[in-house]
Amino acid sequence: MHQVTLGMIGGGTVGSGVFHALQRNGDLLAARIGVRVKVQKVAVKAVDEPRPYRIPRAVMCTDWQRVVQDPQVNLVAELAGGTTVARTMILTALKLGKPVVTANKALLSAHGEELFAAARQYGTNLYYEASVCGGIPIIKALREGFVGNRITHLYGIVNGTCNYILTRMKCEGAEFADVLKDAQAQGYAEAEPSLDVDGFDAQHKIGILASLAHGFWVNPRDIYVEGIRALTRADIQFAGQLGYTIKLLGIIKRIEESPARTPRGRIPSARIQVSVYPALVPNAHVLASVNHVFNAAFVRGDIVGDTLFYGRGAGKDATASAVLSDLADAALDLKFGTPQRVPPFVPHERAGAVVPIAEVVTRYFVRLNVVDRPGVLAQISALLGAARIGISSVIQPESREGASVPLILMLHDAPSGAVTGALKKIGRLAAVRSAPVMIRVEDLC
Ligand code: HSE
């Protein structure tokens, strides 16, 4: 049987997960694809560091160069993480003409364009299924399954930590800080939680998906990002009364259609929204039921219609499953000498642009803390009316006159910039006791 020789960099959670998965299902993989993947060497930080699955000492080393430069190694898996040395590792392997499998979303977000160009230049390939949504084969789905579709909408729950925290806040009526502390104690959230709870991990993933779906490289700086730190129990409960669940969504929406047939000589273009923010999702929508650490991606293509992908977005085994899928593709490409059979990223809408968040139109949930006295609602609705923003419903729990009360407004479709501007003015009214809270509503229809 044909054999490829794999050099792995990284023997921690993901690396040892891949090693273990290959031991467990390597025969099955070989039987299915007709190629055996043999692990030659694994570069680790320290041979004796704790890892979830055992790696024999004989295959470990502590110098990644020994793995990449080994003449027997013809396939490299970068599972070390980070954005500096990992970039050098991948570039070194690509320059040697060795295909690379990576799970590194932060690196692809920062340097994807350069790495994909290097793969093309050196006639090899870069595979990255494990970089987004762990075990969910979303990269393969976009790149291959939907190759004949324009992707008009993608809504993703792509960060398990945030989804876990929001699920518990909703189910237990708890505040963010208390759930985060408990999630950290139980190992569900990192000690330094910012990458997850401030939305940056989702930004990396949604940028990769947007680039792949729309065919121009989306600069992470153009992605509007809001995390979940500012959400309160009150927001979640009022949203619930209105029939919604709050989820951290990664959103990719085609705002302006390019013509179905591009006139000769015109560069294909698209204007798309690419954002990460907490949003009210109707309880009747399937994404509202994606709970705990699970991820999901709801994808609409112009030919296929609506599709849904669901699964574990992280963890040693789910990530290993995605890496094995890439190893299988890479092994087949090596066997048949088709290094760019499925190119990693093909620019096809080179004049595409990301729409600034101020221009993005959605509905809104607004929570104000106001003094209950005559004329307050009239002042607020006058400021919204002047900005041409309509109110679609109002909730104010009964209280005594003169007391502070929550005032919840649901607003009709409006550009984000107009709503932010009106809320700034509303926040300055004497009767408004704290900064207005604004959360977007995504009807997903
Ligand atoms: N920290 C991520 C999450 C998993 O919570 O989903 C790795 O991307």
Side-chain angles (χ1 to χ4, degrees):
M1 186 182 281
H2 194 88
Q3 177 171 292
V4 300
T5 309
L6 172 67
M8 290 173 48
I9 307 170
T13 304
V14 176
S16 73
V18 170
F19 189 87
H20 174 261
L22 277 173
Q23 280 189 316
R24 179 174 154 179
N25 283 357
D27 288 346
L28 174 73
L29 192 74
R32 281 186 173 148
I33 66 171
V35 189
R36 179 162 295 282
V37 178
K38 176 187 170 247
V39 180
Q40 176 81 356
K41 278 198 179 77
V42 184
V44 298
K45 254 192 256 152
V47 168
D48 290 322
E49 72 188 341
R51 50 182 60 90
Y53 294 115
R54 204 183 84 80
I55 300 176
R57 293 182 86 87
V59 296
M60 286 193 278
C61 66
T62 51
D63 177 3
W64 66 266
Q65 288 276 10
R66 274 187 60 202
V67 170
V68 174
Q69 306 283 354
D70 183 334
Q72 289 198 347
V73 165
N74 56 355
L75 171 60
V76 173
E78 181 278 308
L79 307 168
T83 55
T84 49
V85 186
R87 172 176 163 271
T88 311
M89 292 166 177
I90 292 180
L91 284 172
T92 307
L94 294 175
K95 279 180 191 164
L96 291 166
K98 300 185 181 185
V100 177
V101 171
T102 182
N104 195 330
K105 66 214 119 232
L107 179 66
L108 289 179
S109 172
H111 301 292
E113 211 171 6
E114 177 197 16
L115 297 173
F116 293 136
R120 214 169 25 248
Q121 183 183 349
Y122 296 103
T124 186
N125 212 339
L126 179 59
Y127 306 79
Y128 54 103
E129 184 61 70
S131 66
V132 180
C133 289
I136 304 176
I138 189 68
I139 301 287
K140 214 173 180 54
L142 288 179
R143 196 168 52 178
E144 299 179 42
F146 297 150
V147 67
N149 283 258
R150 283 176 198 280
I151 304 301
T152 60
H153 298 74
L154 186 153
Y155 299 95
I157 294 176
V158 297
N159 185 271
T161 305
C162 288
N163 206 40
Y164 175 82
I165 292 173
L166 292 177
T167 303
R168 284 195 52 193
M169 284 175 75
K170 181 178 176 187
C171 295
E172 297 165 23
E175 287 293 3
F176 170 82
D178 298 329
V179 178
L180 173 62
K181 209 183 293 167
D182 195 49
Q184 285 170 320
Q186 293 193 43
Y188 284 106
E190 301 287 338
E192 204 321 77
S194 176
L195 187 65
D196 291 315
V197 302
D198 294 321
F200 303 120
D201 172 77
Q203 176 192 31
H204 297 152
K205 295 169 180 167
I206 221 68
I208 294 169
L209 295 181
S211 303
L212 185 57
H214 289 284
F216 66 94
W217 195 252
V218 172
N219 189 325
R221 281 195 300 270
D222 294 335
I223 304 176
Y224 175 77
V225 180
E226 253 178 55
I228 63 165
R229 231 182 247 277
L231 293 175
T232 64
R233 169 170 59 184
D235 298 319
I236 288 174
Q237 285 176 345
F238 281 119
Q241 278 184 38
L242 289 158
Y244 295 89
T245 298
I246 299 182
K247 293 290 182 193
L248 182 75
L249 292 185
I251 297 174
I252 306 167
K253 262 192 232 176
R254 207 174 174 89
I255 304 284
E256 236 171 61
E257 291 299 328
S258 54
R261 284 166 198 265
T262 308
R264 204 196 291 240
R266 213 178 111 191
I267 297 173
S269 70
R271 271 168 58 80
I272 57 172
Q273 173 192 351
V274 188
S275 328
V276 172
Y277 48 67
L280 273 72
V281 173
N283 284 338
H285 194 278
V286 65
L287 283 187
S289 323
V290 174
N291 286 324
H292 301 287
V293 294
F294 279 90
N295 281 200
F298 180 81
V299 184
R300 183 172 298 156
D302 64 346
I303 293 179
V304 69
D306 290 350
T307 61
L308 180 73
F309 299 81
Y310 172 88
R312 286 187 189 277
K316 54 190 189 304
D317 301 320
T319 310
S321 165
V323 171
L324 256 55
S325 157
D326 276 349
L327 292 176
D329 271 352
L332 284 168
D333 291 343
L334 283 169
K335 176 179 175 183
F336 292 110
T338 50
Q340 292 260 324
R341 180 181 50 92
V342 183
F345 171 71
V346 181
H348 57 269
E349 287 188 323
R350 282 155 294 141
V354 175
V355 173
I357 189 68
E359 292 175 29
V360 169
V361 174
T362 55
R363 299 199 296 123
Y364 300 84
F365 163 102
V366 170
R367 183 169 57 81
L368 302 169
N369 180 17
V370 301
V371 183
D372 184 357
R373 65 171 178 240
V376 171
L377 199 50
Q379 285 179 332
I380 292 168
S381 59
L383 286 170
L384 289 170
R388 308 187 63 73
I389 300 164
I391 298 172
S392 61
S393 84
V394 178
I395 303 180
Q396 185 191 304
E398 240 183 315
S399 73
R400 79 231 103 80
E401 208 171 338
S404 288
V405 279
L407 174 65
I408 312 303
L409 307 173
M410 292 292 277
L411 306 181
H412 283 299
D413 269 341
S416 184
V419 176
T420 312
L423 291 181
K424 217 177 256 172
K425 290 181 189 161
I426 289 170
R428 283 192 221 113
L429 295 173
V432 175
R433 287 290 164 86
S434 52
V437 170
M438 173 193 104
I439 308 173
R440 292 170 179 83
V441 180
E442 292 291 340
D443 290 310
L444 305 122
C445 54

